[in-house]
Amino acid sequence: MKKTLIAATLLSLFSSQYATASDETTELRQIIEQQQKVLKDLEKRLEQTEKRVETTADVVESTASSKSATTIGGYGELHYNNITDNKTGTDKKEFDFHRFVLFVGHEFNSTTRFFSELEVEHSLAGEGKKGEVELEQAYIEHDFNEMYTGKAGLFLMPVGIINETHEPNTFYGVERNPVEKDIIPATWWEAGLTLNVKAAPGLAFDTAVTSGLYLDQSSGYKIRNGRQKVSEAKGEDLAYSGRVKYTAVPGLELAATVQYQSDLTQGEAGVDTASATLLTAHAIYSIENFTVKALFAQWDIDGQEAEALGRDKQNGFYIEPAYRINDQFGVFARYNEWDNNAGNSAETKKKQTNVGVNYWLHENVVFKADFEKITGAADSDGFNLGVGYQF
């Protein structure tokens, strides 16, 4: 009897403890489930917060990128010329803010960009004024890959030394050299397509299909008069250009350009057709502070009217040694010969010598002075002063 009572008591006690443990386990499970729900809710909120932070960062980065992708720059130059024409005895004493230029560019992404250049020449433009407002560049440039880059729009022709790089702090002398001005003729821009090919380190080729020059007897077949400046330019006859440039040797640049246009008269009725070929080559060599530049350019025009004027051949060359004394001072001398009437039997060649100094107040701000002497078909001498900047 006692044994039965003890067993019953133990069984009752065990059952009671089991029931209590079961209740505690159920309660613990409920607490764990609630905590899991809270954790999931926190995880969801954290993910939403992270997404908002990422979106905000993308917007900030995009905004900053768009602001930095558009750039503005420019250059300008003021000249004073004091030149005496010894044949006529007349003096030219003149101040001229020759050029005021603004650049605007935009980088759409790492491979596609836009560039433009707007220029005011001689300060004032309009009817009866001496100046002009000109759009010299406005093109889209795209990198197809590391080897090929193309341009479409209005751009500077790939020819000569100063045509593509002519900011005043980048060259010696107040005025641009007459060979590239009257023979090439810089600054020279056209509309069309061009492709740059980086064939090897230091070796590049440029090809271009563009609008061309327009010349006839009324313009005297003088090359500089043929620039249409892409202003409702006649497009009956296109121009085809090719350039090779070699820069693999440190301090050395060699380049040559060929351009062909089958008719300078742009198919004008009743006018003698005149095909034209331009050949130009230049070399630049720098060793320490000494630099020498040399350039040759020649036009061959196949046309009876051009030949009658003696302008079936137009050519010129120059050589320019320069020495950079220090970061601020540099001296130069330049000898030029050019002839826009080289096909004429008479002596029509002009010879110009310039000697002068550049003083860089800053690498992008320069003061210039040079003495000038012209002989041959012309006879004049004097001096030029100038200040220029780039930013």
Side-chain angles (χ1 to χ4, degrees):
M1 184 67 178
K2 286 182 180 180
K3 291 182 179 179
T4 303
L5 181 61
I6 291 170
T9 301
L10 290 173
L11 181 61
S12 176
L13 181 61
F14 178 77
S15 299
S16 175
Q17 289 178 343
Y18 177 80
T20 301
S22 179
D23 291 340
E24 289 177 353
T25 302
T26 301
E27 184 177 356
L28 182 60
R29 286 178 178 174
Q30 292 175 348
I31 293 172
I32 291 172
E33 288 176 359
Q34 290 176 352
Q35 290 176 341
Q36 288 176 339
K37 289 181 180 180
V38 171
L39 287 173
K40 287 181 179 180
D41 185 57
L42 288 173
E43 287 178 357
K44 185 181 292 185
R45 291 182 182 181
L46 182 60
E47 288 177 0
Q48 292 174 347
T49 302
E50 288 177 347
K51 287 180 180 180
R52 285 196 294 269
V53 170
E54 290 176 359
T55 302
T56 302
D58 290 341
V59 171
V60 170
E61 183 179 353
S62 177
T63 302
S65 176
S66 64
K67 287 183 179 179
S68 63
T70 299
T71 57
I72 186 170
Y75 72 88
E77 49 191 336
L78 170 67
H79 298 166
Y80 173 70
N81 307 111
N82 190 323
I83 305 294
T84 299
D85 188 324
N86 297 317
K87 287 189 174 182
T88 63
T90 58
D91 293 328
K92 175 186 177 182
K93 296 180 180 180
E94 180 179 274
F95 286 94
D96 183 26
F97 203 101
H98 202 144
R99 299 176 180 90
F100 176 81
V101 181
L102 289 177
F103 306 138
V104 177
H106 182 78
E107 188 172 352
F108 298 101
N109 54 39
S110 60
T111 59
T112 305
R113 61 200 69 91
F114 167 78
F115 185 79
S116 65
E117 178 179 337
L118 186 67
E119 176 173 333
V120 179
E121 287 200 345
H122 311 298
S123 295
L124 295 175
E127 187 175 354
K129 306 299 181 182
K130 296 180 179 179
E132 296 179 321
V133 177
E134 300 174 329
L135 184 65
E136 289 197 359
Q137 298 190 75
Y139 62 83
I140 296 294
E141 183 177 67
H142 179 74
D143 300 326
F144 296 100
N145 51 41
E146 293 183 356
M147 186 175 180
Y148 297 101
T149 297
K151 293 180 185 177
L154 186 156
F155 48 82
L156 297 170
M157 297 299 292
V159 58
I161 297 175
I162 70 169
N163 198 59
E164 292 177 293
T165 305
H166 45 251
E167 291 74 19
N169 58 304
T170 63
F171 65 91
Y172 283 96
V174 175
E175 301 290 347
R176 298 173 183 176
N177 72 81
V179 177
E180 294 195 75
K181 177 183 176 183
D182 287 340
I183 303 299
I184 280 184
T187 305
W188 179 18
W189 62 91
E190 299 288 356
L193 301 171
T194 183
L195 180 67
N196 174 263
V197 182
K198 300 177 182 65
L203 179 63
F205 297 90
D206 293 279
T207 60
V209 180
T210 64
S211 54
L213 300 173
Y214 172 51
L215 283 166
D216 58 16
Q217 194 166 18
S218 63
S219 62
Y221 281 92
K222 189 174 181 180
I223 287 298
R224 189 169 184 82
N225 295 341
R227 298 178 305 166
Q228 300 192 78
K229 300 186 176 182
V230 197
S231 175
E232 298 185 348
K234 294 181 180 295
E236 295 292 330
D237 196 73
L238 301 178
Y240 304 89
S241 305
R243 177 177 68 180
V244 57
K245 181 182 283 190
Y246 177 78
T247 57
V249 177
L252 177 66
E253 176 179 303
L254 301 174
T257 298
V258 178
Q259 187 193 87
Y260 176 75
Q261 186 174 333
S262 62
D263 186 8
L264 290 177
T265 70
Q266 294 288 342
E268 188 170 320
V271 178
D272 178 41
T273 60
S275 63
T277 302
L278 167 67
L279 298 173
T280 180
H282 74 259
I284 303 173
Y285 183 62
S286 298
I287 179 169
E288 296 183 351
N289 295 334
F290 179 77
T291 299
V292 61
K293 297 179 180 180
L295 177 140
F296 172 80
Q298 176 171 298
W299 283 94
D300 287 310
I301 302 175
D302 185 14
Q304 294 180 358
E305 292 179 351
E307 184 177 359
L309 292 169
R311 289 186 172 150
D312 53 324
K313 293 189 181 297
Q314 303 181 45
N315 54 45
F317 75 90
Y318 74 86
I319 183 168
E320 179 190 289
Y323 183 74
R324 190 71 177 258
I325 299 171
N326 53 38
D327 289 340
Q328 292 186 301
F329 284 97
V331 293
F332 83 103
R334 183 171 60 236
Y335 178 74
N336 315 263
E337 281 192 14
W338 77 105
D339 192 348
N340 288 105
N341 294 79
N344 198 315
S345 58
E347 181 61 38
T348 54
K349 186 180 299 180
K350 296 179 182 179
K351 304 173 184 180
Q352 178 175 317
T353 302
N354 295 80
V355 178
V357 59
N358 279 17
Y359 168 69
W360 285 271
L361 181 66
H362 178 275
E363 63 179 343
N364 291 322
V365 179
V366 64
F367 290 84
K368 303 181 179 185
D370 66 74
F371 293 95
E372 176 182 305
K373 176 69 175 177
I374 300 179
T375 58
D379 183 6
S380 64
D381 56 57
F383 66 92
N384 306 292
L385 302 174
V387 58
Y389 64 86
Q390 175 189 7
F391 64 91

